[in-house]
């Protein structure tokens, strides 16, 4: 009974956005409409500069919707809120905080119990594989390690939904594979609703329960793909490559 | 390897000092400068005895303490007021619009130009000295804190808000630390400007302090005393700026550019 109950957690209703400036207006997002169920891993996949980051910012409440509305459990999102966690492409770690300081930042500013926070932080530091680096400053970490801190920081604040804006976009290919594996691993252990933005097709298929394919700017939904391959997935399995071909074809038609 | 490089550097410093000393000895023995220029022996013997034998009311220690005390009063006042005003300017558009033009107007006027007004307003005693020392430092600290606060990375502010930080926490945990390197750059310049201002203030009117030693030397035609004062000023100034960078390295150890 419970097994079949799929709970809607986030809904994006007919959202549009246009930027005005320098005497011209740029339509970035056109009538985007989708729902996300609890603990689902949704990948927003689309070409570069198509407006994905704007969409993530709107989901996070950092950017207003011009038309339509976004709601979390039937409550409209009107501004930043801690039950939405963001992992940034640029990592956006606080350089003056240590690894632990960054990861504990959320619970600390929300005046959570100190002991509890420390325990949570320890748990996530361990989970993302940063044991021994608790007291390092971000400047001493590699790109991959910084992104691990970013993920742990978002998780440690215990959000309902995690928004990830091309978190591995700046990493080299090898580190990227490692991080995809690590993220999948973390997500398997700490189930969470994730909305993940990328322009990398392998990454999308490797991680997603569902891929939402976006068109070029103005971004609108082109097609959706449910990915039902068993996890962890194999980048070179025939099923994986088949999906890759199907989605690439659908994508080519959008550009 | 590193040690060898350091040793070499020290070697060059010693070499430079010896060269300077030789030039000085040559100047006072072989040229006509000896009438107006004291020889090294009398300068250094005066420098060392000045720490036990008073010049005027105080020994050298006393004079240094007087000058340092004045600097510390002005510098502390300037740091506190400058950081507050600068960060207010950097984080509030209204404060920026009101205060910034005033600063752009005042900045090119050197603090020394304020001495006559300072004396008229605050009298010839300590208060006017504090004002002069405070003024130059205040302008530096304010402008630097302003730049630091206004250049805070918007993404970091967004990240902090997403994690649940309110306005006050964004200020204390993001804007303030993000401005720290720039604030320290301001404090560094401010420290030098305070040290300069105190000497000028003491030359204009005082009965003690390192600046007074020089002026007193001029009045009594004691060239050795003038040079003793100058050497002391250089050494103290060097110690002050070195101490400032040391504190900065401790406070901003996270900073990538240090």
């Amino acid at each position: 009974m419970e097994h079949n109950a799929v709970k809607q957690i986030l809904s994006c209703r007919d959202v549009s956005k246009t930027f005005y400036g320098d005497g011209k207006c740029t339509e970035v997002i056109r009538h985007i409409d989708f729902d996300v169920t609890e603990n689902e891993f949704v990948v927003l996949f689309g070409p570069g500069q198509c407006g994905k980051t704007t969409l993530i910012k709107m989901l996070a409440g950092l950017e207003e919707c011009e038309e339509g509305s976004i709601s979390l459990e039937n409550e409209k999102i009107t501004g930043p809120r801690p039950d939405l966690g963001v992992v940034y492409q640029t990592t956006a770690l606080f350089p003056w905080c240590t690894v632990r300081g960054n990861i504990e930042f959320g619970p600390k500013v929300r005046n959570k119990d100190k002991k509890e926070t420390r325990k949570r932080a320890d748990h996530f530091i361990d989970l993302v594989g940063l044991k021994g680096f608790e007291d390092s400053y971000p400047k001493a970490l590699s790109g991959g390690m910084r992104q691990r801190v970013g993920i742990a920081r978002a998780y440690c604040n215990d959000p309902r939904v995690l928004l990830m804006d091309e978190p591995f976009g700046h990493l080299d290919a090898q580190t990227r594979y490692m991080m995809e594996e690590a993220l999948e691993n973390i997500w398997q252990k700490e189930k969470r609703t994730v909305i993940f933005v990328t322009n990398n097709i392998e990454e999308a298929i490797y991680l997603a329960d569902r891929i939402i394919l976006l068109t070029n700017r103005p971004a609108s939904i082109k097609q959706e793909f449910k990915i039902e391959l068993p996890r962890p997935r194999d980048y070179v399995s025939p099923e994986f490559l088949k999906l890759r071909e199907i989605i690439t074809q659908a994508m080519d038609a959008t550009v | 390897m590193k040690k060898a490089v350091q040793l070499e550097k020290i070697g060059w410093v010693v070499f430079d000092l010896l060269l300077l000393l030789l030039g000085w000895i040559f100047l006072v023995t072989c040229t006509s400068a000896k009438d107006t220029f004291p020889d090294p022996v009398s300068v250094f013997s005066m420098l060392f005895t000045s720490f036990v034998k008073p010049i005027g009311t105080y020994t050298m220690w006393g004079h240094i303490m007087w000058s340092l005390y004045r600097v510390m009063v002005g510098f502390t006042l300037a740091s506190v007021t400058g950081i507050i005003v600068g960060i207010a300017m950097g984080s509030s558009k209204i404060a920026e619009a009101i205060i910034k033009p005033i600063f752009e107007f005042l900045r090119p006027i050197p603090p020394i130009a304020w001495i006559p007004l300072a004396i008229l307003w605050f009298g010839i005693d300590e208060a006017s000295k504090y004002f002069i020392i405070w003024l130059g430092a205040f302008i530096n600290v304010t402008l630097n804190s302003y730049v630091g606060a206004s250049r805070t990375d918007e993404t970091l502010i967004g990240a902090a808000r997403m994690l649940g930080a309110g306005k006050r926490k964004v200020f204390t945990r993001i804007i303030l630390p993000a401005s720290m390197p720039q604030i320290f750059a301001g404090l560094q310049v401010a420290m030098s400007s305070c040290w300069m201002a105190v000497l000028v203030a003491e030359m204009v009117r005082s009965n003690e302090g390192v600046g007074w030693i020089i002026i007193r030397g001029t009045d009594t035609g004691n060239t050795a005393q003038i040079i003793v004062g100058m050497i002391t000023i250089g050494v103290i100034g060097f110690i002050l700026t070195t101490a400032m960078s040391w504190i900065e390295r401790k406070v901003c150890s996270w900073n990538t550019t240090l």
Side-chain angles (χ1 to χ4, degrees):
Chain A
M1 181 57 195
E2 238 222 321
H3 185 74
N4 292 327
V6 189
K7 197 177 152 205
Q8 301 283 2
I9 179 161
L10 190 112
S11 64
C12 196
R13 278 287 82 78
D14 199 23
V15 168
S16 300
K17 177 95 187 171
T18 305
F19 282 116
Y20 305 92
D22 295 337
K24 57 179 181 185
C25 48
T26 319
E27 192 184 3
V28 199
I29 287 164
R30 181 186 285 173
H31 303 303
I32 285 194
D33 197 288
F34 65 91
D35 289 295
V36 179
T37 57
E38 185 151 41
N39 293 340
E40 190 181 14
F41 200 119
V42 174
V43 170
L44 297 173
F45 174 62
Q49 307 295 317
C50 80
K52 300 181 301 263
T53 296
T54 308
L55 187 56
I56 275 279
K57 275 189 172 165
M58 288 161 77
L59 290 167
L62 287 166
E63 192 85 63
E64 263 179 75
C65 300
E66 192 187 20
E67 263 175 58
S69 68
I70 299 169
S71 36
L72 178 68
E73 294 181 310
N74 296 320
E75 199 189 313
K76 231 175 144 176
I77 295 171
T78 51
R81 44 193 289 176
D83 45 10
L84 296 166
V86 183
V87 180
Y88 297 82
Q89 180 173 19
T90 54
T91 74
L93 298 182
F94 308 125
W96 47 86
C97 296
T98 58
V99 166
R100 177 182 292 284
N102 268 286
I103 293 172
E104 290 182 352
F105 189 92
K108 267 192 175 159
V109 294
R110 297 196 296 139
N111 301 318
K112 297 280 173 203
D113 180 65
K114 273 192 185 139
K115 257 195 177 150
E116 193 57 39
T117 302
R118 211 182 156 81
K119 253 174 68 190
R120 272 188 77 76
D122 280 336
H123 170 69
F124 286 109
I125 287 169
D126 203 22
L127 194 63
V128 298
L130 282 173
K131 231 182 168 134
F133 292 95
E134 291 93 335
D135 300 322
S136 306
Y137 285 101
K139 72 169 177 181
L141 303 179
S142 69
M145 285 160 92
R146 280 182 209 171
Q147 214 40 277
R148 286 168 196 266
V149 179
I151 292 167
R153 180 174 72 176
Y155 259 109
C156 191
N157 210 25
D158 201 19
R160 305 279 290 130
V161 177
L162 277 171
L163 306 166
M164 303 197 180
D165 183 13
E166 296 192 47
F168 310 143
H170 282 329
L171 303 177
D172 60 274
Q174 220 168 350
T175 314
R176 191 169 181 146
Y177 284 130
M178 257 168 56
M179 289 303 296
E180 284 162 19
E181 238 180 88
L183 176 61
E184 140 109 327
N185 190 10
I186 296 162
W187 181 73
Q188 292 279 25
K189 285 183 186 144
E190 300 277 336
K191 281 286 181 190
R192 201 61 52 121
T193 312
V194 177
I195 300 178
F196 187 103
V197 164
T198 185
N199 57 18
N200 181 304
I201 182 140
E202 274 191 321
E203 189 166 275
I205 301 170
Y206 185 79
L207 292 169
D209 288 327
R210 179 159 55 113
I211 295 177
I212 298 179
L213 175 61
L214 299 173
T215 62
N216 223 331
R217 202 164 62 198
S220 58
I221 296 177
K222 166 85 179 173
Q223 206 176 335
E224 291 194 20
F225 302 89
K226 264 214 153 347
I227 313 294
E228 277 160 337
L229 302 178
R231 291 171 189 271
R233 292 165 184 163
D234 178 0
Y235 291 103
V236 287
S237 73
E239 296 82 8
F240 195 100
L241 296 174
K242 182 74 196 157
L243 265 171
R244 187 177 169 154
E245 198 186 321
I246 293 170
I247 298 172
T248 311
Q249 268 167 9
M251 188 172 70
D252 284 345
T254 73
V255 187
Chain B
M1 191 59 203
K2 221 175 160 190
K3 227 172 179 175
V5 173
Q6 247 171 9
L7 266 175
E8 196 185 319
K9 263 189 185 165
I10 295 170
W12 281 111
V13 173
V14 172
F15 176 77
D16 277 353
L17 288 176
L18 281 176
L19 208 66
L20 204 68
L21 197 64
L22 276 173
W24 187 357
I25 291 167
F26 172 79
L27 216 63
V28 294
T29 47
C30 309
T31 70
S32 59
K34 59 172 170 282
D35 304 328
T36 50
F37 207 71
D39 61 277
V41 179
S42 54
V43 167
F44 284 109
S45 67
M46 174 156 192
L47 181 62
F48 293 125
T49 54
S50 69
F51 283 93
V52 281
K53 196 174 141 245
I55 304 172
T57 334
Y58 301 94
T59 61
M60 188 55 97
W61 287 119
H63 290 294
I64 291 174
M65 285 307 147
W66 264 106
S67 298
L68 280 182
Y69 176 72
R70 287 169 179 144
V71 164
M72 283 310 148
V73 172
F75 181 76
T76 311
L77 286 175
S79 310
V80 175
T81 50
I83 291 172
I84 292 173
V85 176
I87 290 191
M89 264 163 78
S91 41
S92 147
K93 289 269 168 270
I94 303 167
E96 182 182 7
I98 298 172
I99 308 172
K100 206 183 165 197
I102 304 177
F103 270 86
E104 291 304 332
F105 180 70
L106 291 182
R107 187 160 61 149
I109 307 173
I112 299 165
W114 287 84
I115 289 180
L117 275 185
I119 291 176
L120 283 176
W121 291 343
F122 301 105
I124 50 170
D125 293 326
E126 295 303 296
S128 60
K129 292 187 185 68
Y130 297 151
F131 176 76
I132 295 300
I133 297 163
W134 167 82
L135 188 69
F138 170 67
I139 290 173
N140 273 311
V141 177
T142 305
L143 288 171
N144 277 284
S145 312
Y146 158 69
V147 171
S150 60
R151 281 199 200 143
T152 306
D153 186 351
E154 283 297 326
T155 317
L156 293 186
I157 295 178
R161 289 175 64 204
M162 285 310 299
L163 289 165
K167 262 205 150 97
R168 205 169 49 90
K169 293 254 164 91
V170 165
F171 182 79
T172 55
R173 287 174 181 256
I174 307 296
I175 295 179
L176 205 60
S179 328
M180 252 342 178
Q182 196 70 42
I183 290 177
F184 262 99
L187 292 179
Q188 186 79 260
V189 180
M191 185 51 99
S192 320
S193 114
C194 283
W195 187 235
M196 225 179 294
V198 74
L199 300 173
V200 175
E202 285 171 354
M203 285 181 184
V204 170
R205 172 63 227 248
S206 72
N207 295 313
E208 63 286 303
V210 190
W212 173 84
I213 290 181
I214 297 182
I215 276 299
R216 188 71 192 148
T218 318
D219 292 347
T220 55
N222 189 342
T223 47
Q225 184 172 327
I226 296 176
I227 294 184
V228 164
M230 287 171 69
I231 292 173
T232 314
I233 287 163
V235 171
I236 303 281
F238 175 77
I239 292 172
L240 287 178
T241 44
T242 311
M244 285 301 296
S245 348
W246 184 80
I247 295 171
E248 178 178 13
R249 267 201 301 278
K250 287 280 155 209
V251 176
C252 301
S253 59
W254 53 269
N255 193 351
T256 38
T257 54
L258 282 181

